Protein backbone atom coordinates (compact mmCIF):
# COMPACT_ATOMS: atom_id res chain seq x y z
CA UNK A 1 0.00 0.00 0.00
CA UNK A 2 1.09 3.64 -0.34
CA UNK A 3 3.02 5.17 2.57
CA UNK A 4 0.91 6.41 5.48
CA UNK A 5 1.67 9.23 7.91
CA UNK A 6 3.37 8.64 11.21
CA UNK A 7 0.38 10.19 12.92
CA UNK A 8 -2.00 7.63 11.46
CA UNK A 9 0.04 4.71 12.77
CA UNK A 10 0.63 6.32 16.17
CA UNK A 11 -2.96 7.34 16.81
CA UNK A 12 -4.08 3.74 16.33
CA UNK A 13 -1.26 2.51 18.59
CA UNK A 14 -2.13 5.06 21.27
CA UNK A 15 -5.78 4.03 21.22
CA UNK A 16 -4.93 0.33 21.19
CA UNK A 17 -2.28 0.69 23.94
CA UNK A 18 0.50 -1.01 21.98
CA UNK A 19 3.76 0.20 20.49
CA UNK A 20 5.03 -0.04 16.94
CA UNK A 21 8.67 -0.46 15.95
CA UNK A 22 10.73 2.17 14.16
CA UNK A 23 13.76 0.56 12.56
CA UNK A 24 16.70 2.44 11.07
CA UNK A 25 17.55 1.59 7.50
CA UNK A 26 20.64 2.39 5.46
CA UNK A 27 20.21 0.13 2.46
CA UNK A 28 17.90 -2.19 0.58
CA UNK A 29 18.63 -5.31 2.62
CA UNK A 30 17.73 -3.74 5.96
CA UNK A 31 14.49 -2.30 4.56
CA UNK A 32 13.59 -5.67 3.03
CA UNK A 33 14.27 -7.51 6.29
CA UNK A 34 12.06 -5.16 8.31
CA UNK A 35 9.18 -5.26 5.86
CA UNK A 36 9.34 -9.03 5.45
CA UNK A 37 8.99 -9.36 9.22
CA UNK A 38 6.21 -6.75 9.30
CA UNK A 39 4.26 -8.63 6.63
CA UNK A 40 4.72 -11.93 8.49
CA UNK A 41 3.42 -10.42 11.76
CA UNK A 42 0.86 -8.07 10.17
CA UNK A 43 2.45 -5.17 12.03
CA UNK A 44 2.30 -1.46 11.12
CA UNK A 45 5.83 -0.13 11.03
CA UNK A 46 8.13 2.89 10.71
CA UNK A 47 11.23 2.79 8.53
CA UNK A 48 13.58 5.49 9.80
CA UNK A 49 16.44 7.18 8.01
CA UNK A 50 18.91 9.35 9.90
CA UNK A 51 20.71 12.29 8.33
CA UNK A 52 23.69 9.94 8.16
CA UNK A 53 21.65 7.33 6.28
CA UNK A 54 20.58 9.99 3.81
CA UNK A 55 24.19 11.00 3.32
CA UNK A 56 25.18 7.35 2.83
CA UNK A 57 22.45 6.14 0.48
CA UNK A 58 20.97 9.33 -0.93
CA UNK A 59 17.52 10.73 -0.16
CA UNK A 60 15.98 9.80 -3.49
CA UNK A 61 17.36 6.27 -3.28
CA UNK A 62 15.95 5.72 0.21
CA UNK A 63 12.55 7.07 -0.80
CA UNK A 64 12.56 4.86 -3.91
CA UNK A 65 13.49 1.74 -1.93
CA UNK A 66 10.90 2.34 0.76
CA UNK A 67 8.08 3.36 -1.60
CA UNK A 68 8.73 0.34 -3.81
CA UNK A 69 8.79 -2.11 -0.91
CA UNK A 70 5.81 -0.47 0.84
CA UNK A 71 3.71 -0.63 -2.33
CA UNK A 72 4.01 -4.42 -2.18
CA UNK A 73 3.64 -4.67 1.61
CA UNK A 74 0.31 -5.71 3.16
CA UNK A 75 0.88 -3.40 6.15
CA UNK A 76 0.94 0.37 6.78
CA UNK A 77 4.45 1.82 6.45
CA UNK A 78 5.64 5.32 7.39
CA UNK A 79 8.95 6.72 6.15
CA UNK A 80 10.47 8.78 8.94
CA UNK A 81 13.45 11.13 9.29
CA UNK A 82 15.22 10.21 12.55
CA UNK A 83 16.97 12.98 14.55
CA UNK A 84 16.58 15.72 11.95
CA UNK A 85 18.72 18.68 12.97
CA UNK A 86 19.33 20.53 9.73
CA UNK A 87 16.25 22.45 8.58
CA UNK A 88 17.36 22.09 4.95
CA UNK A 89 17.46 18.30 5.23
CA UNK A 90 14.11 18.28 7.02
CA UNK A 91 12.60 20.40 4.23
CA UNK A 92 14.08 18.05 1.61
CA UNK A 93 12.48 15.07 3.37
CA UNK A 94 9.11 16.83 3.59
CA UNK A 95 9.32 17.66 -0.12
CA UNK A 96 10.85 14.34 -1.13
CA UNK A 97 8.21 11.88 0.05
CA UNK A 98 8.85 11.22 3.75
CA UNK A 99 5.60 10.95 5.71
CA UNK A 100 7.05 11.73 9.13
CA UNK A 101 9.99 13.80 10.38
CA UNK A 102 11.72 14.22 13.70
CA UNK A 103 13.15 17.56 14.69
CA UNK A 104 15.78 16.98 17.35
CA UNK A 105 16.40 20.33 18.98
CA UNK A 106 17.22 18.77 22.32
CA UNK A 107 20.75 20.10 22.53
CA UNK A 108 19.42 23.66 22.38
CA UNK A 109 17.93 25.56 25.30
CA UNK A 110 14.17 25.02 25.70
CA UNK A 111 13.14 28.28 23.98
CA UNK A 112 15.24 27.55 20.92
CA UNK A 113 14.09 23.93 20.69
CA UNK A 114 10.52 25.25 20.86
CA UNK A 115 11.14 27.78 18.11
CA UNK A 116 12.84 25.30 15.77
CA UNK A 117 10.18 22.70 16.37
CA UNK A 118 7.43 25.22 15.59
CA UNK A 119 9.16 26.03 12.30
CA UNK A 120 9.27 22.35 11.38
CA UNK A 121 5.60 21.82 12.28
CA UNK A 122 4.74 24.71 9.98
CA UNK A 123 6.71 23.31 7.03
CA UNK A 124 5.47 19.76 7.59
CA UNK A 125 1.78 20.68 7.92
CA UNK A 126 1.76 22.09 4.38
CA UNK A 127 2.51 18.59 3.05
CA UNK A 128 0.56 16.59 5.63
CA UNK A 129 3.77 15.21 7.13
CA UNK A 130 3.82 14.23 10.83
CA UNK A 131 6.28 15.67 13.34
CA UNK A 132 8.12 14.16 16.31
CA UNK A 133 10.24 16.28 18.66
CA UNK A 134 12.59 15.56 21.56
CA UNK A 135 12.97 16.95 25.08
CA UNK A 136 15.80 16.20 27.48
CA UNK A 137 19.06 14.44 26.80
CA UNK A 138 19.57 10.82 25.83
CA UNK A 139 21.96 9.59 28.47
CA UNK A 140 22.02 6.35 30.37
CA UNK A 141 21.06 6.99 33.98
CA UNK A 142 22.51 4.72 36.61
CA UNK A 143 20.87 3.52 39.79
CA UNK A 144 22.69 5.85 42.11
CA UNK A 145 22.30 9.09 40.17
CA UNK A 146 20.79 11.81 42.34
CA UNK A 147 17.39 13.36 41.69
CA UNK A 148 19.07 16.69 40.96
CA UNK A 149 21.36 15.12 38.36
CA UNK A 150 18.37 13.42 36.74
CA UNK A 151 16.47 16.69 36.61
CA UNK A 152 19.39 18.24 34.74
CA UNK A 153 19.29 15.78 31.84
CA UNK A 154 15.90 14.07 31.70
CA UNK A 155 12.65 15.52 30.39
CA UNK A 156 10.76 17.98 32.56
CA UNK A 157 7.06 17.01 32.33
CA UNK A 158 5.81 20.58 32.93
CA UNK A 159 7.96 21.80 30.05
CA UNK A 160 6.67 18.91 27.96
CA UNK A 161 3.10 20.11 28.50
CA UNK A 162 3.92 23.65 27.39
CA UNK A 163 6.02 22.37 24.49
CA UNK A 164 3.28 20.07 23.15
CA UNK A 165 0.65 22.78 23.39
CA UNK A 166 2.68 25.52 21.74
CA UNK A 167 4.24 23.48 18.94
CA UNK A 168 1.35 21.24 17.86
CA UNK A 169 3.67 18.23 17.38
CA UNK A 170 2.17 14.78 16.75
CA UNK A 171 4.47 12.79 19.03
CA UNK A 172 7.10 13.45 21.69
CA UNK A 173 10.36 11.69 22.56
CA UNK A 174 11.01 12.40 26.25
CA UNK A 175 14.44 11.50 27.63
CA UNK A 176 13.85 9.06 30.51
CA UNK A 177 17.26 7.44 30.91
CA UNK A 178 18.00 5.54 27.71
CA UNK A 179 20.86 6.27 25.33
CA UNK A 180 21.85 5.32 21.81
CA UNK A 181 24.30 2.52 21.05
CA UNK A 182 25.37 -0.84 22.45
CA UNK A 183 26.64 0.27 25.87
CA UNK A 184 23.65 1.78 27.64
CA UNK A 185 24.06 0.89 31.29
CA UNK A 186 26.88 -0.05 33.62
CA UNK A 187 24.60 -1.25 36.41
CA UNK A 188 20.96 -2.18 36.02
CA UNK A 189 18.82 -0.42 33.47
CA UNK A 190 16.69 2.21 35.11
CA UNK A 191 14.08 4.04 33.10
CA UNK A 192 12.14 6.84 34.76
CA UNK A 193 8.55 5.64 34.35
CA UNK A 194 7.17 8.29 36.69
CA UNK A 195 8.47 11.01 34.41
CA UNK A 196 7.16 9.11 31.40
CA UNK A 197 3.66 8.76 32.88
CA UNK A 198 3.64 12.46 33.81
CA UNK A 199 4.57 13.40 30.22
CA UNK A 200 1.80 11.19 28.87
CA UNK A 201 -0.77 12.70 31.22
CA UNK A 202 0.15 16.31 30.60
CA UNK A 203 0.68 16.12 26.80
CA UNK A 204 -1.84 13.43 25.81
CA UNK A 205 0.53 12.61 22.93
CA UNK A 206 1.86 9.28 21.69
CA UNK A 207 5.36 9.01 23.21
CA UNK A 208 8.52 7.70 21.56
CA UNK A 209 11.29 5.67 23.19
CA UNK A 210 14.73 6.26 21.70
CA UNK A 211 17.74 4.13 22.51
CA UNK A 212 15.53 1.10 22.98
CA UNK A 213 17.72 -1.70 21.64
CA UNK A 214 17.86 -4.69 23.97
CA UNK A 215 21.08 -6.35 22.78
CA UNK A 216 19.47 -9.83 22.65
CA UNK A 217 21.64 -12.60 24.06
CA UNK A 218 21.74 -14.65 20.86
CA UNK A 219 22.77 -11.62 18.82
CA UNK A 220 25.53 -10.66 21.25
CA UNK A 221 26.80 -14.24 21.57
CA UNK A 222 27.20 -14.68 17.84
CA UNK A 223 28.88 -11.32 17.33
CA UNK A 224 31.34 -11.98 20.17
CA UNK A 225 31.94 -15.60 19.11
CA UNK A 226 33.12 -14.39 15.73
CA UNK A 227 35.36 -11.67 17.04
CA UNK A 228 33.31 -8.50 17.50
CA UNK A 229 34.69 -6.51 20.43
CA UNK A 230 31.34 -5.78 22.06
CA UNK A 231 31.23 -8.16 25.02
CA UNK A 232 30.30 -5.36 27.45
CA UNK A 233 27.23 -4.42 25.41
CA UNK A 234 24.05 -3.91 27.41
CA UNK A 235 20.60 -2.87 26.23
CA UNK A 236 17.15 -2.15 27.62
CA UNK A 237 15.68 -5.34 29.12
CA UNK A 238 12.30 -6.63 27.98
CA UNK A 239 10.48 -5.83 31.24
CA UNK A 240 11.56 -2.17 30.93
CA UNK A 241 10.25 -2.05 27.36
CA UNK A 242 6.92 -3.44 28.53
CA UNK A 243 6.84 -0.89 31.35
CA UNK A 244 7.46 1.91 28.87
CA UNK A 245 4.57 0.75 26.69
CA UNK A 246 2.26 0.61 29.74
CA UNK A 247 3.16 4.22 30.50
CA UNK A 248 2.38 5.69 27.08
CA UNK A 249 5.16 4.76 24.66
CA UNK A 250 3.74 4.03 21.19
CA UNK A 251 6.88 4.10 19.01
CA UNK A 252 10.08 2.26 19.86
CA UNK A 253 13.32 3.03 18.01
CA UNK A 254 15.69 0.20 17.22
CA UNK A 255 18.99 0.51 15.38
CA UNK A 256 21.81 -1.05 17.41
CA UNK A 257 20.23 -4.53 17.53
CA UNK A 258 20.03 -4.57 13.73
CA UNK A 259 23.66 -3.45 13.41
CA UNK A 260 24.85 -6.15 15.82
CA UNK A 261 22.82 -8.85 14.07
CA UNK A 262 24.21 -7.81 10.71
CA UNK A 263 27.78 -7.71 11.95
CA UNK A 264 27.48 -11.11 13.67
CA UNK A 265 25.98 -12.79 10.61
CA UNK A 266 28.62 -11.39 8.27
CA UNK A 267 31.44 -12.32 10.64
CA UNK A 268 30.11 -15.87 10.89
CA UNK A 269 30.10 -16.34 7.11
CA UNK A 270 33.52 -14.79 6.68
CA UNK A 271 34.96 -16.99 9.42
CA UNK A 272 33.30 -20.28 8.42
CA UNK A 273 33.50 -19.92 4.66
CA UNK A 274 36.64 -18.03 3.76
CA UNK A 275 36.21 -19.17 0.15
CA UNK A 276 32.90 -17.26 -0.11
CA UNK A 277 32.83 -13.89 -1.84
CA UNK A 278 29.41 -13.74 -3.46
CA UNK A 279 27.74 -10.64 -1.95
CA UNK A 280 24.39 -12.43 -1.90
CA UNK A 281 25.83 -15.19 0.27
CA UNK A 282 27.19 -12.56 2.68
CA UNK A 283 24.40 -10.02 2.80
CA UNK A 284 21.61 -12.62 2.52
CA UNK A 285 22.29 -14.21 5.94
CA UNK A 286 22.72 -10.72 7.42
CA UNK A 287 19.28 -9.82 6.09
CA UNK A 288 17.82 -13.02 7.62
CA UNK A 289 19.38 -12.20 11.01
CA UNK A 290 17.87 -8.71 10.97
CA UNK A 291 14.48 -10.16 10.08
CA UNK A 292 14.68 -12.46 13.11
CA UNK A 293 15.48 -9.54 15.43
CA UNK A 294 12.55 -7.56 14.06
CA UNK A 295 10.12 -10.49 14.47
CA UNK A 296 11.09 -10.68 18.15
CA UNK A 297 10.47 -6.96 18.58
CA UNK A 298 6.99 -7.18 17.08
CA UNK A 299 6.11 -9.95 19.53
CA UNK A 300 7.42 -7.83 22.41
CA UNK A 301 5.77 -4.56 21.39
CA UNK A 302 2.22 -5.89 20.99
CA UNK A 303 1.80 -4.62 17.42
CA UNK A 304 1.56 -8.04 15.74
CA UNK A 305 -1.81 -8.44 14.05
CA UNK A 306 -2.63 -4.71 14.28
CA UNK A 307 -2.20 -3.94 10.57
O1 LIG B 1 17.11 7.11 16.96
N1 LIG B 1 17.69 5.93 17.10
C1 LIG B 1 18.59 5.45 16.04
C2 LIG B 1 19.78 6.36 15.90
C3 LIG B 1 20.50 6.08 14.61
C4 LIG B 1 21.70 6.95 14.43
O2 LIG B 1 22.11 6.81 13.11
P1 LIG B 1 23.41 7.58 12.59
O3 LIG B 1 24.61 6.78 13.04
O4 LIG B 1 23.24 7.54 11.10
O5 LIG B 1 23.38 8.99 13.13
C5 LIG B 1 17.43 5.20 18.23
O6 LIG B 1 16.82 5.74 19.16
C6 LIG B 1 17.88 3.75 18.33
O7 LIG B 1 18.58 3.49 19.49
P2 LIG B 1 19.46 2.16 19.72
O8 LIG B 1 19.11 1.69 21.11
O9 LIG B 1 19.06 1.13 18.71
O10 LIG B 1 20.90 2.56 19.61
CA1 LIG C 1 18.83 14.69 20.86
ZN1 LIG D 1 17.22 8.14 18.69
Amino acid sequence: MPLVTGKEILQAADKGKYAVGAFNINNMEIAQAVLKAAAARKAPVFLSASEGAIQYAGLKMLVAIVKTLASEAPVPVALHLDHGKDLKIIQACVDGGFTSVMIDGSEHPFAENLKKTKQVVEMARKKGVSVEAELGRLVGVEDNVSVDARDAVLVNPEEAGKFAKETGIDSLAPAIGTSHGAFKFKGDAKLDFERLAACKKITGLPLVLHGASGVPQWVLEKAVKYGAKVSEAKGVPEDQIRGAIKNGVCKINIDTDLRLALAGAIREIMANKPEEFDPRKILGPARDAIEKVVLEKFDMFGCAGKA
Side-chain angles (χ1 to χ4, degrees), residues 25-35 47 56-57 61-62 65-66 69 280 283 287 290:
I25 60 161
N26 291 284
N27 63 14
M28 177 190 78
E29 283 81 2
I30 304 173
Q32 284 176 321
V34 175
L35 289 189
L47 294 182
Y56 174 76
M61 180 58 77
L62 289 173
I65 289 170
V66 172
L69 293 172
R280 296 163 295 190
L283 295 176
R287 184 169 63 185
I290 291 172

Side-chain angles (χ1 to χ4, degrees), residues 82-83 134 138 180 210-211 253:
D82 193 26
H83 292 283
E134 179 171 301
L138 289 184
H180 289 146
H210 282 252
N253 288 5

Side-chain angles (χ1 to χ4, degrees), residues 185-258:
F185 307 100
K186 290 220 178 73
D188 283 338
K190 192 111 180 128
L191 306 197
D192 196 331
F193 292 136
E194 244 173 76
R195 235 172 252 269
L196 186 64
C199 286
K200 179 72 193 171
K201 191 165 177 219
I202 199 162
T203 66
L205 288 174
L207 302 180
V208 179
L209 188 65
H210 282 252
S213 276
V215 188
Q217 197 57 36
W218 67 270
V219 173
L220 184 62
E221 267 170 20
K222 179 175 285 192
V224 170
K225 178 175 176 191
Y226 290 104
K229 291 194 171 154
V230 292
S231 58
E232 297 300 303
K234 199 168 210 179
V236 180
E238 185 164 343
D239 66 301
Q240 299 279 302
I241 294 289
R242 291 187 195 276
I245 298 169
K246 272 202 191 87
N247 285 292
V249 163
C250 298
K251 170 174 174 279
I252 300 185
N253 288 5
I254 304 287
D255 182 34
T256 294
D257 288 346
L258 310 188

Side-chain angles (χ1 to χ4, degrees), residues 44 51 62 78 104 113 121-122 136 145-146 179 233 239 253 274 303:
E51 291 185 351
L62 289 173
D104 178 0
N113 186 356
V121 169
E122 202 174 307
V145 168
S146 72
S179 62
D239 66 301
N253 288 5
C303 56

Side-chain angles (χ1 to χ4, degrees), residues 11-281:
Q11 277 186 338
D14 202 13
K15 228 172 127 195
K17 298 199 180 306
Y18 58 90
V20 299
F23 302 93
N24 287 77
I25 60 161
N26 291 284
N27 63 14
M28 177 190 78
E29 283 81 2
I30 304 173
Q32 284 176 321
V34 175
L35 289 189
K36 196 170 166 205
R41 286 294 187 274
K42 300 204 176 347
V45 71
F46 280 72
L47 294 182
S48 299
S50 66
E51 291 185 351
I54 290 170
Q55 203 177 10
Y56 174 76
L59 188 141
K60 279 190 177 167
M61 180 58 77
L62 289 173
V63 172
I65 289 170
V66 172
K67 278 194 173 168
T68 303
L69 293 172
S71 73
E72 294 162 353
V75 298
V77 179
L79 174 55
H80 176 76
L81 170 66
D82 193 26
H83 292 283
K85 295 188 179 180
D86 180 334
L87 290 181
K88 280 201 195 107
I89 296 178
I90 297 174
Q91 183 73 63
C93 290
V94 165
D95 293 339
F98 280 57
T99 56
S100 177
V101 291
M102 175 188 190
I103 161 71
D104 178 0
S106 65
E107 69 254 40
H108 300 298
F110 181 80
E112 201 178 333
N113 186 356
L114 188 96
K115 188 175 151 211
K116 268 195 135 176
T117 301
K118 266 185 175 171
Q119 272 177 286
V120 169
V121 169
E122 202 174 307
M123 66 168 81
R125 285 288 168 266
K126 292 185 187 140
K127 296 273 167 77
V129 171
S130 313
V131 179
E132 171 186 329
E134 179 171 301
L135 278 175
R137 278 164 192 274
L138 289 184
V139 289
V141 170
E142 284 157 49
D143 257 348
N144 49 3
V145 168
S146 72
V147 173
D148 281 359
R150 284 180 172 235
D151 278 342
V153 291
L154 301 185
V155 65
N156 173 329
E158 302 254 306
E159 278 187 357
K162 180 174 150 76
F163 191 86
K165 207 165 144 199
E166 290 192 18
T167 59
I169 49 172
D170 302 298
S171 61
L172 176 71
I176 57 159
T178 60
S179 62
H180 289 146
F183 308 93
K184 297 185 192 298
F185 307 100
K186 290 220 178 73
D188 283 338
K190 192 111 180 128
L191 306 197
D192 196 331
F193 292 136
E194 244 173 76
R195 235 172 252 269
L196 186 64
C199 286
K200 179 72 193 171
K201 191 165 177 219
I202 199 162
T203 66
L205 288 174
L207 302 180
V208 179
L209 188 65
H210 282 252
S213 276
V215 188
Q217 197 57 36
W218 67 270
V219 173
L220 184 62
E221 267 170 20
K222 179 175 285 192
V224 170
K225 178 175 176 191
Y226 290 104
K229 291 194 171 154
V230 292
S231 58
E232 297 300 303
K234 199 168 210 179
V236 180
E238 185 164 343
D239 66 301
Q240 299 279 302
I241 294 289
R242 291 187 195 276
I245 298 169
K246 272 202 191 87
N247 285 292
V249 163
C250 298
K251 170 174 174 279
I252 300 185
N253 288 5
I254 304 287
D255 182 34
T256 294
D257 288 346
L258 310 188
R259 294 183 182 201
L260 286 172
L262 175 140
I266 291 178
R267 280 177 174 279
E268 182 180 30
I269 296 283
M270 303 304 260
N272 289 346
K273 296 191 180 162
E275 73 286 2
E276 191 58 76
F277 56 88
D278 179 340
R280 296 163 295 190
K281 301 273 169 59

